[in-house]
Amino acid sequence: MNLLKTDHIQRATNVAQRLFEEQMLVITPKDSMLHKFNAVGTFIWQFLERSHSVEEIVQGVQKHFDTNDEEAVSQDVITFIEKLCEKGLVSLKSE
Amino acid sequence: MDTLAQSINREASQKNIPLSVFIELTRRCNCTCYYCYQQSLQQTKELSLEQWQQVFSQLKSAGALYLTLSGGEPFVREDIFDLLKEAKKQNFAVSLISNGLLISEVVAKQLKDFTVMDVGISFHAAERDLHDRLSGMPGCFDQAKKAVTWLRQEGIKVVLKHSVSTENFGQFKALQRLATQLDCAFECDCTVLPDTPGTASNYSLTVDQYKEFLTYMGQDSAGCSVDDDQAALHCDAGRSLCGIGPNGTLYPCIILPVPLGNVTESSFMSLWEGDLANSFRKNEKSLSKECTLCALKVHCSRCHAVALLEGHSWQGKSHSLCARANALQQIGKQKK
C-alpha cells in the first residue's frame, strides 16, 4: 500500500489494549496475538485516539521526541502505519 | 524461549500487576454437571451491571488486560451483552467460558462486535449420551456442537474445553479429533476440584490414569526447570492474576477461596494493595515442609486451591497433585 501524507488514519474499534509499564500492549483482533509497541509506537497509538492524517502524526512524533529529521520520521511512521493496517489495527478514514 | 505473553506475565507477576482477571458473573447455570463444585455453594447476590462497570474501570486502572467471564453459565445473565459492551469500551481482551446452550446463530453473530478473543465451550465427552448424562442436560451435546459451528462461522476462536476425570477417562482422544474437525483449539485439564472440603475428589485420576493421559498429551514435565526450586512451587495467584466472584468477593484466584475483601465495599486497588493480599503473597514463602522438601517437587503442578480444598491449608499438600507428580516422575524415568 502507498500511504499519502494527507491520508487520515483511524484506529479499529474492537482492539484490546493496555498501557503496561509505559509500553502499549495491543491484541490483534484477527488472530488474538499480543504485540508490544516501543516508545514511538506507543506514542503513535495513543495519538491515534483521535483520527489524524499521516502528516499530523509525523509532526506529532517530531514534536514529542524533539527531532527535526522529517524524512526519517516520515519513513518510520509510514512503515509503522502500514504494518498496523496489515494487522487490522487501523484503517484509512474516508473523507 | 519465552513468548511475549510469557515474558509480560512474568513481569506482571514480579510487580503484582493483575494482568488476568477471572470473573464469575453468576452461579446460576442451566446444566448440572456431575463434578461442578459450584453446586455445593449457596446461590449468592450478583453484582449489577452498574457495579461491574465500576469494577471494570478500576481493573483497567490497575493494569488488567485479560478478562475471563464465566459462571455458572455467563449467558444466563440477561445483561451479558451490556457487560461485553463495557469490556470493549474499557479495551479488555475477553474470553468467555460457556456450555454453549444459549449460543444461537444470532448470539454468535452479535459476539463478533465485541473484543472477544475466544469462547471456551465445555465438553465432557465426544459421545452424545455420555456428555448429556454428565452435564445433566439432554440435548446439550448437539447444541454445544452447533454453538461451536456458529461461532467458527463468524471467525471467532473457539476452545473446546475438557476436564478429564474417572467418569469420562479416555474421551480426551476422541475430543481432540473432534476439536480438529470443528476447527477449534483443544484444552484439557485433569484437575478436579472436590465438592466436599477436606478430601480429594472422587473423580480424581489414579496414578496410572495420569500417566496415560499425560503421555498421550505429550506432557512429561510440570514445566519448571529441574534446578529451579523457587519456580517449582510458585503460582501467579494474587500476583499477575486474580478472581472475582458473583457478589464481588476478590480472591487470589477464582478457585482459591481465600477472600481478600469485596470490591463493592472497597476499591479494587485498596484491596489489591491491602493487608490481606500482601499477607497472602508473603505466606507463599512458607509452604508446608512436606512440599518444600519433597523429592517430587520439580514434577509438581502446584495449585494452592486444590491443596486447600483437599486438605486444611492452601500451603499444604494435595493428594491428587502428588499422584500427578508421581506419574510425571515415572514417565520421566521410562523416557530415560
Side-chain angles (χ1 to χ4, degrees):
Chain A
M1 82 186 284
N2 288 316
L3 277 179
L4 303 173
K5 284 191 170 183
T6 50
D7 283 337
H8 269 71
I9 309 298
Q10 63 183 0
R11 281 198 332 214
T13 57
N14 58 342
V15 177
Q17 56 171 311
R18 194 66 72 232
L19 195 61
F20 181 85
E21 298 297 275
E22 299 183 358
Q23 291 189 299
M24 189 58 74
L25 299 179
V26 168
I27 297 177
T28 36
K30 281 182 199 166
D31 54 10
S32 302
M33 285 290 290
L34 178 70
H35 304 270
K36 182 168 81 169
F37 294 162
N38 64 15
V40 181
T42 297
F43 171 79
I44 293 173
W45 185 257
Q46 290 177 314
F47 194 66
L48 282 172
E49 189 160 353
R50 276 181 43 229
S51 157
H52 285 286
S53 68
V54 173
E55 189 167 23
E56 287 167 342
I57 299 169
V58 171
Q59 287 167 357
V61 171
Q62 281 187 282
K63 192 175 170 193
H64 187 81
F65 292 94
D66 196 20
T67 171
N68 293 319
D69 193 345
E70 187 182 343
E71 198 179 324
V73 172
S74 188
Q75 193 51 54
D76 286 351
V77 165
I78 287 173
T79 304
F80 182 63
I81 298 289
E82 283 175 350
K83 279 189 185 168
L84 294 182
C85 276
E86 279 169 28
K87 296 198 173 293
L89 292 167
V90 299
S91 60
L92 295 186
K93 187 181 176 186
S94 47
E95 292 297 317
Chain B
M1 192 168 147
D2 269 5
T3 62
L4 174 61
Q6 286 169 326
S7 129
I8 297 287
N9 185 63
R10 194 176 49 250
E11 192 177 345
S13 185
Q14 284 162 355
K15 295 175 177 169
N16 297 333
I17 298 170
L19 197 64
S20 306
V21 183
F22 195 110
I23 291 178
E24 276 177 356
L25 292 170
T26 178
R27 285 195 185 141
R28 290 177 287 139
C29 189
N30 42 11
C31 284
T32 50
C33 297
Y34 70 108
Y35 66 90
C36 183
Y37 64 96
Q38 296 227 10
Q39 289 175 52
S40 62
L41 303 172
Q42 297 279 320
Q43 284 298 333
T44 183
K45 193 177 168 216
E46 293 173 15
L47 262 58
S48 66
L49 171 64
E50 291 71 25
Q51 285 173 307
W52 279 122
Q53 285 171 331
Q54 284 176 18
V55 173
F56 285 5
S57 170
Q58 292 173 14
L59 291 173
K60 178 184 177 179
S61 301
L65 171 61
Y66 298 103
L67 212 59
T68 301
L69 301 180
S70 178
E73 166 54 45
F75 284 93
V76 302
R77 277 197 66 133
E78 288 173 357
D79 54 3
I80 184 69
F81 286 105
D82 294 316
L83 288 159
L84 289 172
K85 190 175 168 187
E86 184 65 19
K88 178 181 175 179
K89 190 176 148 197
Q90 309 273 4
N91 305 113
F92 285 105
V94 176
S95 294
L96 285 156
I97 300 179
S98 166
N99 55 34
L101 281 177
L102 296 173
I103 299 180
S104 63
E105 200 168 359
V106 174
V107 167
K109 277 189 200 302
Q110 284 176 287
L111 285 176
K112 213 179 152 189
D113 295 333
F114 300 96
T115 47
V116 174
M117 300 296 111
D118 53 58
V119 181
I121 303 285
S122 309
F123 277 84
H124 300 307
E127 294 162 21
R128 179 184 292 110
D129 291 348
L130 184 56
H131 176 86
D132 287 356
R133 180 169 66 75
L134 295 178
S135 62
M137 176 57 74
C140 189
F141 181 80
D142 287 339
Q143 173 55 32
K145 265 181 78 176
K146 279 184 197 165
V148 172
T149 306
W150 288 324
L151 290 164
R152 291 302 299 129
Q153 275 172 8
E154 296 305 320
I156 296 169
K157 183 181 171 189
V158 177
V159 183
L160 195 155
K161 286 184 173 281
H162 178 52
S163 287
V164 185
S165 77
T166 51
E167 289 293 292
N168 59 9
F169 191 76
Q171 289 290 315
F172 51 86
K173 298 171 189 172
L175 278 171
Q176 194 172 39
R177 290 194 292 274
L178 181 66
T180 305
Q181 278 169 25
L182 296 174
D183 188 28
C184 50
F186 181 55
E187 276 179 15
C188 60
D189 187 36
C190 49
T191 304
V192 188
L193 296 176
D195 53 7
T196 311
T199 175
S201 168
N202 292 333
Y203 304 121
S204 287
L205 303 188
T206 63
V207 174
D208 284 341
Q209 285 176 324
Y210 273 121
K211 275 170 68 181
E212 186 181 335
F213 167 71
L214 295 168
T215 303
Y216 181 82
M217 298 306 290
Q219 194 182 346
D220 58 5
S221 81
C224 58
S225 157
V226 173
D227 54 2
D228 192 350
D229 274 6
Q230 285 296 99
L233 300 176
H234 170 74
C235 173
D236 288 330
R239 296 175 189 276
S240 62
L241 65 91
C242 65
I244 305 177
N247 66 353
T249 305
L250 174 67
Y251 302 99
C253 164
I254 197 64
I255 58 170
L256 177 55
V258 176
L260 304 178
N262 190 295
V263 292
T264 61
E265 291 160 10
S266 305
S267 72
F268 173 82
M269 229 23 212
S270 66
L271 299 176
W272 191 245
E273 292 176 341
D275 291 345
L276 288 173
N278 283 328
S279 165
F280 170 80
R281 292 175 194 124
K282 196 173 153 197
N283 287 340
E284 200 195 24
K285 289 179 183 137
S286 48
L287 295 180
S288 146
K289 283 194 177 161
E290 274 186 294
C291 294
T292 56
L293 301 177
C294 178
L296 295 179
K297 183 164 59 174
V298 293
H299 302 289
C300 184
S301 314
R302 173 82 199 166
C303 173
H304 304 327
V306 177
L308 174 59
L309 295 167
E310 290 183 3
H312 304 288
S313 160
W314 64 266
Q315 292 153 298
K317 72 179 224 180
S318 142
H319 291 285
S320 65
L321 294 178
C322 289
R324 181 174 170 152
N326 210 328
L328 280 171
Q329 185 201 35
Q330 289 182 35
I331 293 170
K333 275 185 186 168
Q334 283 166 4
K335 279 188 94 177
K336 282 177 189 169

